[in-house]
Amino acid sequence: MKAGIVGLPNVGKSTLFNCLSNAKAQSANFPFCTIEPNIGVVNVPDHRLENLENLVNPQQVIPATVEIVDIAGLVKGASKGEGLGNQFLGNIRETDAILHVLRCFDNDNVVHVDGSVDPIRDKETIDIELQLKDLESVEKKLDKVSRSAKTGNKEAQKEAAVLSTLKSGLEAGTSVRAISVGEDDFRDYVKPLQLITAKPVLYVCNVDEAAAVSGNDYVEKVKTMVADENAEVLYLAVGTEADITELETYEERQMFLEDLGLSEPGSAKLIRGAYTLLNLETYFTAGEKEVKAWTIKKGATAPQAAGVIHTDFEKGFIRAEVIAYDDYISLGSEQKVKEAGKMRVEGKEYIVKDGDVMHFRFNV
C-alpha cells in the first residue's frame, strides 16, 4: 500500500520524505528538485510490538511497514502538462492515499514558488490541478456511457447519473471525496476510474520549531478550510524533524524532543496517520523465533488475515486461535492466557480486531 507525498515545489516534501524513510532524497532550496519519485518503505511505530517483544523475548522483531512515495512538486497548469505535470499526476494516480504538504511557516530565506506564504492558496492550486485531471477522466467516461444510456440501457443510465453528479461537483471545485455518492455507486462506478481526488488525504502542515507543539494561525486556517472534506490535518516542524533524525543516539533524540515539549517525533504520528489513512490495521504473531506485525485491511476475516502470511493458510484455513492484545499483556504469557480461559477459537466468519495475537490452523 502506497501513500504519496504531494504539494507545491519547495514546501518540504523531500525533507519530510527523508525524515520518514532515511532514504536521503535530494532536498534543496529550488523548485523541481525532485523529478523521479523516490520510494521508501517505512516501519510503522507501534509500542505494542515492543511490549510483546519484552514478554516473548524472540530472536527477531518485524514491524508493519507502509510505502511512502515522494512525488515532485506540482504547479499551476500541471493538468495540462506544465512542469512535467502529466508524469507527476500519473505517479499520484498509482498511490492509495495522499499526504498533502502545505507550507505553514514564514522564512525569507526559503523561496516560495508563488512569492508568498499562503497555505490556503497553495491547497487550492493543487486541488484545482487534481480536480481538472479528474474532470477530464469523468467527461471521457460520461461521453461513452451516455451513448449507451440513450439506447435505454438502465445500468448505463444509472452510471451516467452518478458521473453527472461527479462532473457537476468537480466543475464547482469540489474534490470527489467530498461529493455525496452512495456506497454502492462509489464501488461500482467511481472506484474503477481511479480518480485522484477520491483518494483519502492527510494534510501535513509544515510549521517552524516554535509551532511544533501547538501549531499556528496557518494551521487553524487549514483546519477550517478542510472541515467539510472528510480529511485529516496534522502539523509538524519538518526541518526540526530532520535535525532530530541526524542525531546519533536514541537518548540524544529524546532530549531534543523533551526540550521542544514533544513526547515523540511528529514523523511517528504521521506514519501512523498514513497507515490509518490507508484503512489498514495490525494483528500479531508471537513466538520464540519472531514477533511480527502483519498488515491487513480493516474488516478482514480470519482466513484473509491468514492469507497475508501465505496463500495456503487462507485456502486451507481451519480455525484461528486468538488472544486479545490486552489479555496477553496483562496475563504475561500465552500459557497463562490459556490457563485463564482467555484464548478464543474463531472460525471463517471472524472479523480480525486491531492488535489480535493469532495462531492459524490450516490443512492443504
Side-chain angles (χ1 to χ4, degrees):
M1 303 293 288
K2 291 181 184 177
I5 302 177
V6 305
L8 290 175
N10 224 26
V11 296
K13 298 185 309 304
S14 293
T15 305
L16 175 62
F17 176 80
N18 288 336
C19 290
L20 298 179
S21 68
N22 291 324
K24 302 302 176 194
Q26 188 181 7
S27 172
N29 189 21
F30 58 87
F32 298 115
C33 181
T34 306
I35 301 299
E36 294 298 328
N38 295 293
I39 300 175
V41 178
V42 182
N43 291 342
V44 178
D46 194 331
H47 70 279
R48 297 174 301 182
L49 202 59
E50 298 166 21
N51 292 338
L52 288 169
E53 178 186 9
N54 291 334
L55 290 178
V56 179
N57 195 26
Q59 294 173 22
Q60 63 175 339
V61 177
I62 304 173
T65 60
V66 64
E67 217 167 79
I68 303 290
V69 186
D70 177 25
I71 296 165
L74 289 170
V75 294
K76 289 176 183 176
S79 60
K80 303 301 180 188
E82 291 292 328
L84 299 179
N86 289 328
Q87 179 186 337
F88 301 162
L89 289 164
N91 293 333
I92 298 170
R93 197 181 295 282
E94 292 171 6
T95 65
D96 302 293
I98 294 172
L99 307 177
H100 185 161
V101 181
L102 296 164
R103 177 172 168 179
C104 292
F105 67 90
D106 295 302
N107 186 335
D108 293 338
N109 294 321
V110 181
V111 298
H112 190 290
V113 71
D114 285 331
S116 62
V117 177
D118 184 346
I120 304 305
R121 177 202 60 213
D122 295 353
K123 177 189 177 303
E124 289 176 338
T125 297
I126 297 290
D127 283 351
I128 288 169
E129 296 307 322
L130 302 185
Q131 288 160 6
L132 286 171
K133 199 65 181 175
D134 280 351
L135 182 59
E136 186 182 301
S137 299
V138 169
E139 286 177 335
K140 281 182 183 176
K141 184 67 173 178
L142 181 58
D143 183 55
K144 183 179 178 181
V145 171
S146 294
R147 289 196 290 271
S148 296
K150 286 174 183 175
T151 67
N153 184 314
K154 297 291 186 186
E155 185 68 19
Q157 289 172 352
K158 189 177 179 183
E159 184 173 5
V162 173
L163 293 172
S164 294
T165 299
L166 296 184
K167 182 174 182 289
S168 298
L170 287 164
E171 287 175 336
T174 304
S175 293
V176 172
R177 73 181 73 87
I179 298 173
S180 182
V181 176
E183 195 173 314
D184 290 344
D185 289 340
F186 187 90
R187 182 193 65 232
D188 296 339
Y189 308 127
V190 182
K191 198 170 181 181
L193 294 175
Q194 290 186 296
L195 300 174
I196 299 169
T197 66
K199 297 179 189 294
V201 63
L202 172 64
Y203 291 101
V204 183
C205 296
N206 182 8
V207 300
D208 56 22
E209 187 173 308
V213 175
S214 304
N216 57 24
D217 289 343
Y218 290 133
V219 174
E220 294 308 312
K221 287 177 181 177
V222 172
K223 286 181 178 179
T224 300
M225 186 178 190
V226 307
D228 298 327
E229 202 180 308
N230 191 27
E232 299 291 324
V233 177
L234 183 147
Y235 57 88
L236 69 160
V238 174
T240 305
E241 296 281 331
D243 291 339
I244 293 172
T245 60
E246 292 296 327
L247 296 173
E248 290 185 5
T249 67
Y250 173 80
E251 288 74 18
E252 286 177 310
R253 291 192 289 272
Q254 286 303 114
M255 285 178 62
F256 197 138
L257 288 169
E258 286 172 13
D259 287 344
L260 292 174
L262 297 171
S263 58
E264 66 174 346
S267 55
K269 293 178 184 176
L270 178 55
I271 295 166
R272 287 197 297 270
Y275 195 73
T276 302
L277 195 66
L278 290 164
N279 203 32
L280 304 175
E281 60 185 17
T282 302
Y283 77 86
F284 302 102
T285 52
E288 290 182 6
K289 285 189 176 180
E290 66 177 27
V291 167
K292 184 167 182 175
W294 298 90
T295 299
I296 53 171
K297 277 281 195 180
K298 287 181 182 176
T301 62
Q304 289 169 336
V308 173
I309 299 177
H310 197 287
T311 53
D312 285 349
F313 281 33
E314 183 172 4
K315 290 174 186 173
F317 179 88
I318 299 172
R319 66 180 183 271
E321 296 169 355
V322 184
I323 303 171
Y325 167 79
D326 288 342
D327 288 338
Y328 204 118
I329 297 303
S330 63
L331 293 168
S333 72
E334 185 176 314
Q335 184 59 40
K336 288 180 179 176
V337 168
K338 288 178 180 177
E339 290 170 0
K342 293 287 189 178
M343 178 182 281
R344 308 189 313 276
V345 176
E346 302 286 359
K348 293 182 178 180
E349 304 302 316
Y350 177 68
I351 303 298
V352 179
K353 294 180 177 61
D354 186 54
D356 277 349
V357 182
M358 307 184 75
H359 291 301
F360 297 104
R361 302 299 178 189
F362 70 101
N363 181 34
V364 178

